[in-house]
Amino acid sequence: MSDKCKSPLKTALHGMDERAYKMMAMYLQGPCKEAAVVVEDLKAEIDIIDADSVKAKTLLEQRLTESARPIIALSLQELTFENILYVKKPVKTSDLLFALSEARAILSVKKKSDNQVNTCTQNTASRQSQNPVTKPESLLDTVKKQATNTDEQKKTSKHQTAMQLDEGKFNAFIGSVPGLDVNDPKQFPDAAYNPKDYFQGYVQSALMVAEAKKQVMRLNSGWKPLIIFPHNHEIWLDADDKQLRAFAGVGMNKISGPGMTLTPEESIAASVQESLEKFHDQDAFLWKLAAWTSKGRYPGALDINRPVFLKHWPNFTRLVVTPHALRISALLMASPRTLPEIAEVLKIKPQYVFVFISSAYALGLIGQAKREASGSRYFCESFYGHPCPTSGKSYATANACGCPSRPASFVGYPARGIQHHSRNDSTRCRKACIFTTQKALRENTCAIASGDYSTPVSQRMKSFNHQSSKKLSNRVC
Amino acid sequence: MSHYKIIFTGPVGAGKTTAIESISDIAPIKTDASASDMTKTKKSSTTVAMDYGIMNLTGGEKIHLYGTPGQERFDFMWDILTTGGIGLILLLDNTRADPFQDMKFFLDSFQKFIAETNVAIGVTQMDLSNKPTINDYHSQLRAMGIKPPVFSVDARVKNDVSLLVQSLLYSLDPGIEA
């Protein structure tokens, strides 16, 4: 965003005589295009100090200890203070504008942080925000630490890295339903479950109510109280994963169901504010709750014979990564598929597809394509937001899906993708990376033959097959 | 033996060097120099040419990791580094004044490369500043007509960087041939 779109920074000038003061005010208004405007000290957002003035040292020290405002110091010599923005004299417009943009950035971070503090548990944060600026740190660091941090960083559950499950750990971690083989196509109709019959359904309803009312709510289940903080998109629960996993699988029958109540939480208990590690990100919580409720089944609201699509990638680094979840996501981002089709195309057990779909569905990331658009005919417009061009990746991708938005024969051959692997239908869904043009092939034949990895993308990716991805996956898990 | 190349880019301080350090199987090669401009308010040194690391896969295959300098004045390196790459990792610092502006800038700058390959986006420093959210990034990207993976990433954590790299690779090929 250009500075023109922003309001001028309110600036107080220090250490300048009347003439220099006026000159600087005009300089900010003219050459600096009103990036800043001079105001009286009390109303200022930042300070500009002439660090070569007689009282400069005192002024700087005073400002650093008494004010958390960003400071820009103008000087002929490089200054030793670390927590100021320095502009060397003679002042160049570009340098001063850069310093002003940095000051704006610092203010923005501070403002953001203050907002967070206001919406978070308040005691600790308010103490933190009163801390004076400490000298050894940069101003930006100090601002970051003052407000953003302490509380947010202590919410360890929110920021811990993802757990990646491989196939071997699936049953132990996710569980299964006795007497049901979800991997048997004949039993697919029985492999559906209704989240409303479980704790998951109540949590989802409670989240919707809290979000609609924008109010902190407590879900009383007769088990452990669960508190929803809609403003921060957080959930607080005094239970560990083992306890939650066990409770997730318990069906809520008609007796226990009515016992559930949702009440506004007027004041947050000190015990909640102190147990920051029990805060969960709402999405991460719901994701794992759905996985544990599913136990390898799929939500009954989905028609297993109609293609589903993924609205966007889940934030996998903060979720439980179920087996093949990344591959399923990549496939669904490319085109809609039915659940059995996903398992078939990726050659994986349906239970891995079902559990992923259950979690993604709980987060609202799964949509079900309408029958008339269930093919890939409208792939480009639906998923890339624009029609296929005459050549290039989108066209090739659509073509790869077997349903370009215009017939391939309408496109001249040099621009049309050449399908290197067209043995069977499964290749139709390869991404555009396996396509290239004849011209590119001719030009790069030698490089391709030599195995040089600096060959065109289409050829490079042709060789980057699933095996490579799998090796990477195995290596890093 | 196959070699692949992935490029890490993003603004100054987003964690490119750290991410490569986290995931590389060799001691990464860095071209850091003392920050002499306003970058020094953020960190003491900055990348001036490139970072380089390697991920070794079984069977002798390698993924070469290249990090670009974050400062725009070194943008002449960007084209050089993307040559031969199979995809782009864009890291964004959520504490910056306008991370969306950064995102648009880098997506525009690497538009041609991304059109030919793919991109995955990692948002760093979310434990310091949790706004904008990952969903906000998706909204912005939707308006731009693309739907890449966007993950919250701690560049110091190997697992985070690894998942981001995996998402990029699976975006390129979900592995239908398996």
Side-chain angles (χ1 to χ4, degrees):
Chain A
M1 198 185 297
S2 71
D3 282 345
K4 282 180 183 177
C5 306
K6 297 171 181 171
S7 57
L9 278 174
K10 293 172 187 165
T11 310
L13 302 179
H14 306 277
M16 298 177 197
D17 60 29
E18 192 180 340
R19 189 179 168 194
Y21 188 99
K22 279 186 178 172
M23 194 176 286
M24 179 54 72
M26 288 167 69
Y27 184 69
L28 291 170
Q29 194 178 11
C32 292
K33 296 176 183 171
E34 294 184 326
V37 60
V38 178
V39 297
E40 60 187 88
D41 191 21
L42 285 174
K43 293 179 181 171
E45 297 169 302
I46 67 165
D47 296 300
I48 296 181
I49 297 176
D50 182 348
D52 296 329
S53 64
V54 182
K55 294 179 180 174
K57 196 180 173 189
T58 318
L59 266 171
L60 279 169
E61 285 173 350
Q62 187 188 351
R63 285 283 133 195
L64 285 169
T65 50
E66 291 178 4
S67 164
R69 296 197 305 228
I71 299 169
I72 297 174
L74 315 174
S75 177
L76 288 163
Q77 295 173 340
E78 195 158 330
L79 299 174
T80 52
F81 290 98
E82 289 185 9
N83 43 352
I84 58 166
L85 301 163
Y86 164 67
V87 175
K88 190 173 168 56
K89 289 182 185 172
V91 175
K92 290 179 188 168
T93 308
S94 58
D95 290 351
L96 187 54
L97 283 173
F98 189 81
L100 287 168
S101 69
E102 288 290 303
R104 192 185 289 277
I106 292 167
L107 284 171
S108 170
V109 170
K110 190 168 180 259
K111 197 176 172 184
K112 241 194 273 184
S113 310
D114 288 342
N115 288 342
Q116 284 174 357
V117 170
N118 289 338
T119 54
C120 247
T121 50
Q122 292 171 0
N123 296 343
T124 315
S126 61
R127 281 199 300 275
Q128 291 289 330
S129 63
Q130 288 161 11
N131 285 346
V133 176
T134 50
K135 283 191 179 179
E137 296 169 331
S138 75
L139 191 54
L140 185 65
D141 287 342
T142 310
V143 170
K144 279 179 181 176
K145 283 181 186 173
Q146 268 185 348
T148 42
N149 18 26
T150 49
D151 279 0
E152 189 63 27
Q153 286 183 319
K154 281 177 189 168
K155 292 173 182 172
T156 48
S157 296
K158 272 186 78 179
H159 302 291
Q160 70 187 12
T161 190
M163 172 190 277
Q164 291 195 61
L165 286 181
D166 58 25
E167 292 187 8
K169 292 178 192 164
F170 182 86
N171 281 337
F173 190 78
I174 300 293
S176 57
V177 178
L180 175 70
D181 181 4
V182 294
N183 298 317
D184 177 6
K186 287 175 189 168
Q187 297 188 43
F188 282 173
D190 299 324
Y193 80 105
N194 186 354
K196 288 178 183 171
D197 294 340
Y198 298 89
F199 185 52
Q200 180 194 338
Y202 292 92
V203 173
Q204 284 185 268
S205 299
L207 288 172
M208 285 170 68
V209 172
E211 182 62 38
K213 291 187 172 179
K214 295 282 179 204
Q215 191 170 18
V216 178
M217 305 290 275
R218 173 187 283 253
L219 178 65
N220 302 294
S221 59
W223 179 55
K224 308 265 184 185
L226 180 145
I227 304 171
I228 300 163
F229 296 84
H231 303 95
N232 295 342
H233 213 62
E234 289 171 346
I235 282 174
W236 186 91
L237 178 68
D238 185 17
D240 61 25
D241 278 0
K242 275 185 183 174
Q243 293 169 311
L244 179 62
R245 184 170 55 199
F247 192 64
V250 178
M252 299 283 127
N253 58 34
K254 287 176 184 173
I255 299 167
S256 59
M260 293 269 186
T261 57
L262 186 64
T263 52
E265 190 78 344
E266 300 298 345
S267 60
I268 311 300
S271 59
V272 172
Q273 294 182 33
E274 285 162 10
S275 308
L276 294 175
E277 75 286 355
K278 289 171 183 166
F279 277 90
H280 301 262
D281 175 77
Q282 194 173 295
D283 286 351
F285 182 87
L286 197 52
W287 179 276
K288 64 185 176 187
L289 179 62
W292 286 327
T293 311
S294 148
K295 294 184 186 297
R297 296 171 297 173
Y298 63 90
L302 290 175
D303 180 347
I304 197 168
N305 296 314
R306 276 172 52 201
V308 296
F309 62 87
L310 190 59
K311 292 175 185 171
H312 62 70
W313 280 79
N315 180 18
F316 276 119
T317 50
R318 298 294 174 264
L319 303 172
V320 173
V321 184
T322 52
H324 308 287
L326 288 155
R327 294 175 66 203
I328 297 167
S329 297
L331 188 67
L332 285 179
M333 289 308 295
S335 66
R337 298 273 179 173
T338 64
L339 272 49
E341 201 181 2
I342 297 167
E344 192 185 331
V345 169
L346 295 179
K347 299 197 186 318
I348 58 178
K349 288 182 179 174
Q351 69 187 101
Y352 306 137
V353 178
F354 295 163
V355 76
F356 169 82
I357 294 293
S358 296
S359 292
Y361 186 69
L363 264 58
L365 296 180
I366 294 292
Q368 192 136 41
K370 290 176 183 172
R371 281 196 182 280
E372 54 271 26
S374 61
S376 302
R377 183 171 180 78
Y378 306 107
F379 173 77
C380 289
E381 287 205 57
S382 303
F383 292 87
Y384 282 95
H386 56 77
C388 292
T390 53
S391 63
K393 184 169 116 177
S394 295
Y395 178 78
T397 304
N399 200 22
C401 291
C403 307
S405 53
R406 72 180 73 187
S409 56
F410 283 12
V411 183
Y413 226 102
R416 193 195 305 172
I418 300 168
Q419 196 171 354
H420 296 292
H421 300 272
S422 53
R423 286 190 295 272
N424 57 47
D425 271 352
S426 69
T427 60
R428 292 194 313 164
C429 288
R430 287 205 181 98
K431 292 212 64 174
C433 52
I434 64 164
F435 291 82
T436 188
T437 61
Q438 283 181 323
K439 185 168 175 261
L441 269 177
R442 275 198 303 275
E443 285 174 357
N444 297 286
T445 305
C446 294
I448 295 162
S450 68
D452 175 8
Y453 67 85
S454 64
T455 51
V457 173
S458 48
Q459 284 302 314
R460 288 193 298 276
M461 282 316 301
K462 194 176 107 181
S463 60
F464 189 88
N465 58 18
H466 169 61
Q467 291 307 319
S468 307
S469 301
K470 200 170 178 183
K471 281 173 194 168
L472 172 72
S473 185
N474 290 340
R475 200 191 73 90
V476 294
C477 285
Chain B
M1 190 164 67
S2 301
H3 294 255
Y4 310 101
K5 177 179 175 182
I6 289 176
I7 293 89
F8 284 68
T9 195
V12 173
K16 301 178 290 295
T17 304
T18 309
I20 289 176
E21 262 180 332
S22 300
I23 204 168
S24 176
D25 289 320
I26 61 164
I29 294 163
K30 296 188 269 188
T31 57
D32 280 7
S34 295
S36 57
D37 55 12
M38 293 317 288
T39 302
K40 70 185 175 186
T41 61
K42 294 188 170 108
K43 53 183 187 174
S44 59
S45 64
T46 190
T47 303
V48 293
M50 64 172 196
D51 297 311
Y52 174 70
I54 293 178
M55 288 177 74
N56 293 318
L57 305 182
T58 52
E61 293 184 330
K62 291 178 190 295
I63 295 180
H64 301 261
L65 313 166
Y66 288 80
T68 68
Q71 294 172 23
E72 289 169 45
R73 61 197 169 102
F74 298 118
D75 63 0
F76 62 91
M77 285 298 298
W78 296 353
D79 276 347
I80 297 169
L81 290 175
T82 52
T83 305
I86 62 166
L88 184 74
I89 298 282
L90 170 56
L91 293 179
L92 299 167
D93 177 354
N94 217 38
T95 61
R96 298 248 308 173
D98 191 347
F100 293 151
Q101 184 66 17
D102 293 337
M103 180 172 75
K104 284 173 188 162
F105 172 79
F106 280 94
L107 290 178
D108 281 347
S109 300
F110 288 89
Q111 189 179 24
K112 190 175 168 223
F113 180 66
I114 293 168
E116 291 175 343
T117 60
N118 231 323
V119 62
I121 298 174
V123 184
T124 62
Q125 316 267 33
M126 289 203 77
D127 56 336
L128 293 173
S129 172
N130 58 14
K131 298 276 174 57
T133 64
I134 295 295
N135 281 341
D136 295 332
Y137 281 94
H138 282 300
S139 301
Q140 292 283 323
L141 288 161
R142 201 176 302 124
M144 296 168 74
I146 55 172
K147 293 184 174 181
V150 185
F151 297 167
S152 166
V153 165
D154 184 336
R156 298 163 299 183
V157 178
K158 184 178 179 179
N159 194 39
D160 281 11
V161 184
S162 159
L163 279 166
L164 192 62
V165 171
Q166 286 182 65
S167 73
L168 174 67
L169 299 178
Y170 284 127
S171 294
L172 292 163
D173 182 353
I176 304 163
E177 291 172 326

